[in-house]
Amino acid sequence: MLMSADTDVIRVLADPLRLRIITLLARETLCTTHLVAETGARQTNLSNHLRVLREAGLVETEPCGRFTYYRLRPETLEGLAGSLAGLAATARETAATDRRRAC
Amino acid sequence: MLMSADTDVIRVLADPLRLRIITLLARETLCTTHLVAETGARQTNLSNHLRVLREAGLVETEPCGRFTYYRLRPETLEGLAGSLAGLAATARETAATDRRRAC
DNA sequence: CGCTGACATCAGCATGCGCTGATACTATCG
DNA sequence: CGATAGTATCAGCGCATGCTGATGTCAGCG
């Protein structure tokens, strides 16, 4: 239910600034300059985080002249959401039937 | 769509051993000894992680004599899964309508 | 062409945090 | 009552990683 790939995605999401970027990109596609203005972080810092997000498959880039648009890929987030929902469902079943291992 | 509380939950999940604990507890309620046997980690290490999981509201304890059973709480995981699914849905809408900010 | 602005890369620093060993506490058993 | 087993707490160490400043590259514009 929980793939090992999900571990990496969670690690990538587990940073306040990266999560902020994700929420901003969910609403509209932006380029680095916009993200600098929105978050107040340095351009270098944002560029590093965007690299991490890109390598994790969470965002994809669209070069546009000297600008670089960043778009949020829904598939990765959906996959993680599904895995977590599956875990929660299993836990609910475990709690309902009081499934436990004897000591 | 993404509450600030979700940030903390994600940070807590962003550790391989803690995620392992979560998947094990999803299937059956266990006590620390079982988790030591399953994961191969030291008891001290597990106890520290279980404390983090407890404080994040991801697991709850059930004392049973000198044992301590740990049960996975589905609500927290469900809330996070819902938030992530909402983000993914927003991103899908953004991609479909090509919503972007001009440079 | 030079210049500027958008963006990426790299090395260094500093903080966070996961792991460990030592220790203490409690419940059960002989 | 010891003795032991299950568990929690704490201080310390070491590594991972996020932030920064300097630098490089490329595109557009005068």
Side-chain angles (χ1 to χ4, degrees), chain A residues 11 15 17-18 41-45 48-49 52 65-66 103:
Chain A
R11 287 199 81 91
D15 178 86
L17 184 50
R18 282 201 287 262
R42 314 263 176 188
Q43 180 267 325
T44 301
N45 191 11
N48 284 330
H49 281 301
V52 174
R66 52 179 172 170
C103 282

Side-chain angles (χ1 to χ4, degrees), chain A residues 9-84:
Chain A
V9 177
I10 296 178
R11 287 199 81 91
V12 168
L13 289 179
D15 178 86
L17 184 50
R18 282 201 287 262
L19 209 53
R20 184 90 208 290
I21 295 172
I22 292 290
T23 62
L24 288 170
L25 291 182
R27 305 201 196 315
E28 48 178 350
T29 297
L30 301 170
C31 48
T32 313
T33 310
H34 298 139
L35 291 171
V36 170
E38 290 283 345
T39 64
R42 314 263 176 188
Q43 180 267 325
T44 301
N45 191 11
L46 276 176
S47 193
N48 284 330
H49 281 301
L50 288 169
R51 173 188 235 262
V52 174
L53 290 171
R54 195 184 332 131
E55 290 174 346
L58 278 165
V59 304
E60 61 187 2
T61 63
E62 180 190 339
C64 176
R66 52 179 172 170
F67 305 102
T68 306
Y69 275 103
Y70 280 88
R71 180 183 9 248
L72 184 58
R73 295 185 61 235
E75 306 86 19
T76 309
L77 276 182
E78 280 168 356
L80 179 58
S83 297
L84 293 180

Side-chain angles (χ1 to χ4, degrees), chain B residues 17-86:
Chain B
L17 183 50
R18 281 201 288 264
L19 209 53
R20 186 89 208 290
I21 295 172
I22 292 290
T23 61
L24 288 170
L25 290 182
R27 304 197 201 308
E28 49 179 350
T29 297
L30 301 170
C31 48
T32 314
T33 309
H34 298 139
L35 291 171
V36 170
E38 291 282 347
T39 64
R42 313 263 176 188
Q43 179 267 326
T44 302
N45 190 12
L46 276 176
S47 191
N48 284 330
H49 282 302
L50 288 169
R51 173 187 235 260
V52 174
L53 290 172
R54 193 184 333 130
E55 290 174 346
L58 278 165
V59 304
E60 60 188 3
T61 63
E62 180 190 339
C64 176
R66 52 180 171 170
F67 305 102
T68 305
Y69 275 104
Y70 279 88
R71 180 187 5 252
L72 185 59
R73 295 184 63 235
E75 306 86 19
T76 309
L77 276 182
E78 279 169 356
L80 179 58
S83 297
L84 293 179

